[in-house]
Amino acid sequence: MSTQPVDSADLWAGFAALDAQQEAAAAWDDPIALTARRELPAFPTEVFPAWLGDFVRGVAEETQTAVDAAGSLALAVLATAAGGRATVHVRGRWREPLNLFVVMALPPGSRKSAVFGLMTDPLYTCEKLMATKAAGAIIEAELTARLAKEVADNAAAKAARADSDKRDQLMAEAISLGQAAEAVTVPNKPRLMADDATPEVISSLLAEQGGRLSVMSAEGGIFDIIAGRYSGTPNMEPFLKGHAGDRLRVDRRGREEFIDSPALTMGQTVQPSVLEDISRIKGAGDRGLLGRFLYSLPEDLVGYREVTPEPLAEDVADVYEERVTSLVMSLAGWTDPAVLLLTPEANEALAAYERRQEPRLRKRGGDLGHIRNWAAKLGGATARLAGLLHLAAHTENGHTQPVTADTMRDAIKLADYFTGHALAVFDLMGADHTANRARTVLDLLRANQWAEVSKREVMTKLSRAEFPTVADLDPALDLLEDHGYVRAQPVAKTGGRGRPPSPRYLTHPQLSEPTA
């Protein structure tokens, strides 16, 4: 039997190829999972001062709801009290007003209305107290305005009847009296809250209330109104400017007014389906409405509730009403907002948090890149949360003391909570289309167990409804590469005519050899 001589070059080439194959296999790290179901963080009630934490936990127990529901609404209550009346000075020219947009979602039958009522009752009490306190001044101003107008009208009538030699003097007096009558200002009846009003009404109420208002609702109908239920056209202007504190122009009663620093708070309890509806409001994503809300998705406890829960303790409820009332009334008279300062340590804690967050906002590789319009506002939201926690701990004299590092760290805990829930909410809204498509491609790679595959081969197996063009496939493959599932291979240039070769990808051994 004859044997063929072995070409040493071929032998070494074979060894080199084997080594390269083994090296490539060994170089794969475990892929980063494309999370399909998110673990939602628990609401950190420990960040609240005792009087508020006890009430929040008590409401959750009595209503048999997750503590997130009462906790989220507690922040909206604090923002209603402080919005437009206090700001946090962070650094340089950066100041954050203390109004918030909070939306909490629970299915029907979850007792969210009961939670809403218990949390917001003291605000209605405060409105009545403020109205009673202002009633005397309003009546006095109304009478003064009425008398001044009568005097001016009489003077005008007298001037009209006067002889020509006296008419000019009397007319000048009438004009002066008319201007004085016009200058009499009748205070508006104080209000803290509005319900599901139109954007135009909300703008007018903001003007009447000196730029401070809270839209609180247990049903979330305001989102239908924003979407244009009555006008047919979405109107987000007062909400966008009211959150940011940007100057708002208001046309009312035939005259134009400007609200220099509007402070609008929103506290909404809705059904989860409403969150999907919000995402469909034309321009809500691009213009930043969705990015202004803090979202909470409490666990639905229906089916696991105690039939006879521990009732809310009367003394805990009394202290809650007393402290909320104290905070509202102590700030009610402020026209220029109270300015809360941060200690250097608190400022550094916030800066360190911002530095940690920044890489997460990257479009490629950042876990918050797909919701960067929301996540980019986290620094400001955290400063606002710190200011509210500070005032909750010092309901009567918070403006005399700086915000501490401990308070800022508590605010960061809340920011982390809302970040986890925002990711889940934006998943629900379908914001991360790239991740959804990447999961489809990943399922395809697993099913076919390709060790190496071309983009063209992948495309032929996919639905044209989800991937109309190859360009729709590219972001999904990029994301899978970022997560370590595939590796793009260099494309060899042929130099010839015709269609260029399709890019090829190596797949992770876990996909091509799932049983290994």
Side-chain angles (χ1 to χ4, degrees):
M1 182 175 66
S2 63
T3 59
Q4 294 288 336
V6 178
D7 189 317
S8 60
D10 291 341
L11 186 61
W12 285 111
F15 285 143
L18 181 60
D19 288 343
Q21 204 173 31
Q22 291 174 340
E23 184 180 350
W28 288 94
D29 293 324
D30 287 338
I32 302 170
L34 292 171
T35 307
R37 184 176 299 170
R38 299 185 186 275
E39 291 294 326
L40 296 178
F43 192 96
T45 59
E46 69 275 9
V47 304
F48 290 139
W51 67 269
L52 185 52
D54 289 345
F55 187 77
V56 164
R57 288 183 287 269
V59 168
E61 171 63 22
E62 179 171 296
T63 59
Q64 287 295 286
T65 54
V67 74
D68 314 46
S72 299
L73 286 172
L75 294 169
V77 169
L78 293 175
T80 300
R85 297 296 183 266
T87 63
V88 173
H89 179 224
V90 183
R91 64 184 80 102
R93 295 181 180 272
W94 181 10
R95 292 190 179 191
E96 286 289 339
L98 296 189
N99 53 303
L100 292 178
F101 284 12
V102 180
V103 59
M104 181 270 292
L106 274 174
S110 302
R111 298 175 181 165
K112 58 181 180 291
S113 295
V115 177
F116 184 89
L118 289 168
M119 298 305 301
T120 59
D121 275 349
L123 295 178
Y124 292 96
T125 300
C126 289
E127 268 197 342
K128 292 176 183 177
L129 288 173
M130 292 166 64
T132 301
K133 189 175 180 180
I138 292 174
I139 292 172
E140 181 180 348
E142 287 175 341
L143 289 173
T144 301
R146 188 184 309 161
L147 291 173
K149 187 176 184 307
E150 288 178 4
V151 170
D153 289 345
N154 290 336
K158 184 177 179 181
R161 296 191 302 267
D163 295 335
S164 57
D165 59 332
K166 296 181 179 179
R167 184 173 300 148
D168 289 346
Q169 179 184 351
L170 291 174
M171 185 59 69
E173 292 176 1
I175 290 172
S176 178
L177 290 169
Q179 291 173 336
E182 188 67 24
V184 176
T185 300
V186 179
N188 292 289
K189 182 179 178 180
R191 289 187 63 171
L192 284 174
M193 294 174 292
D195 205 327
D196 296 335
T198 66
E200 293 74 20
V201 169
I202 287 171
S203 296
S204 292
L205 287 173
L206 275 168
E208 291 176 1
Q209 300 303 317
R212 187 262 283 265
L213 188 71
S214 181
V215 180
M216 303 285 282
S217 173
E219 299 299 331
I222 188 67
F223 296 112
D224 285 339
I225 297 173
I226 294 173
R229 177 201 291 170
Y230 302 115
S231 64
T233 304
N235 183 357
M236 291 173 275
E237 202 72 11
F239 303 95
L240 298 176
K241 293 184 175 180
H243 180 274
D246 296 334
R247 176 179 283 195
L248 178 65
R249 176 183 294 174
V250 181
D251 295 311
R252 50 196 293 265
R253 299 192 186 97
R255 68 181 187 274
E256 185 178 76
E257 294 184 7
F258 288 95
I259 308 172
D260 288 329
S261 300
L264 182 66
T265 287
M266 293 184 72
Q268 302 288 311
T269 61
V270 301
Q271 297 179 21
S273 60
V274 173
L275 296 177
E276 297 180 68
D277 295 338
I278 298 171
S279 68
R280 299 189 188 101
I281 298 175
K282 185 178 180 181
D286 295 339
R287 297 196 61 194
L289 180 65
L290 302 181
R292 284 165 164 77
F293 281 93
L294 299 178
Y295 299 96
S296 176
L297 284 175
E299 181 184 1
D300 181 12
L301 300 183
V302 173
Y304 301 91
R305 297 175 295 189
E306 291 286 343
V307 176
T308 56
E310 190 72 26
L312 179 63
E314 289 296 332
D315 58 333
V316 171
D318 290 344
V319 171
Y320 174 73
E321 180 161 2
E322 175 191 325
R323 294 298 180 90
V324 171
T325 302
S326 175
L327 180 59
V328 172
M329 301 307 289
S330 67
L331 293 172
W334 287 77
T335 52
D336 294 330
V339 178
L340 308 182
L341 303 177
L342 304 182
T343 64
E345 295 79 11
N347 208 323
E348 177 51 36
L350 178 59
Y353 173 70
E354 292 178 277
R355 284 191 286 269
R356 292 196 303 272
Q357 291 294 104
E358 192 63 21
R360 302 179 68 189
L361 306 182
R362 295 171 184 166
K363 286 187 176 180
R364 290 195 63 180
D367 65 318
L368 302 179
H370 64 292
I371 61 167
R372 63 194 314 194
N373 287 346
W374 182 89
K377 297 178 176 65
L378 265 177
T382 304
R384 296 186 187 203
L385 291 168
L388 294 173
L389 293 177
H390 174 78
L391 290 177
H394 310 280
T395 52
E396 294 183 353
N397 62 349
H399 63 285
T400 66
Q401 304 176 51
V403 178
T404 66
D406 285 343
T407 299
M408 185 60 71
R409 283 188 281 269
D410 284 338
I412 290 170
K413 288 182 182 179
L414 284 171
D416 287 339
Y417 166 85
F418 285 115
T419 298
H421 285 246
L423 284 166
V425 167
F426 281 101
D427 282 349
L428 184 65
M429 293 177 178
D432 197 355
H433 300 295
T434 300
N436 293 334
R437 286 173 170 171
R439 291 186 189 104
T440 299
V441 176
L442 185 60
D443 290 342
L444 179 67
L445 297 178
R446 282 200 180 103
N448 287 275
Q449 299 182 21
W450 287 307
E452 184 176 348
V453 65
S454 71
K455 185 192 294 186
R456 189 174 294 122
E457 288 175 303
V458 173
M459 193 67 189
T460 59
K461 298 282 189 178
L462 293 169
S463 164
R464 288 297 178 271
E466 188 173 5
F467 296 87
T469 67
V470 175
D472 297 305
L473 175 58
D474 288 337
L477 288 172
D478 288 343
L479 185 60
L480 290 175
E481 187 170 11
D482 287 342
H483 282 250
Y485 285 103
V486 299
R487 287 180 186 166
Q489 298 302 293
V491 178
K493 296 181 180 180
T494 63
R497 295 183 179 181
R499 186 166 59 176
S502 177
R504 299 191 68 79
Y505 291 83
L506 295 178
T507 66
H508 196 286
Q510 289 183 9
L511 303 179
S512 57
E513 302 172 12
T515 58

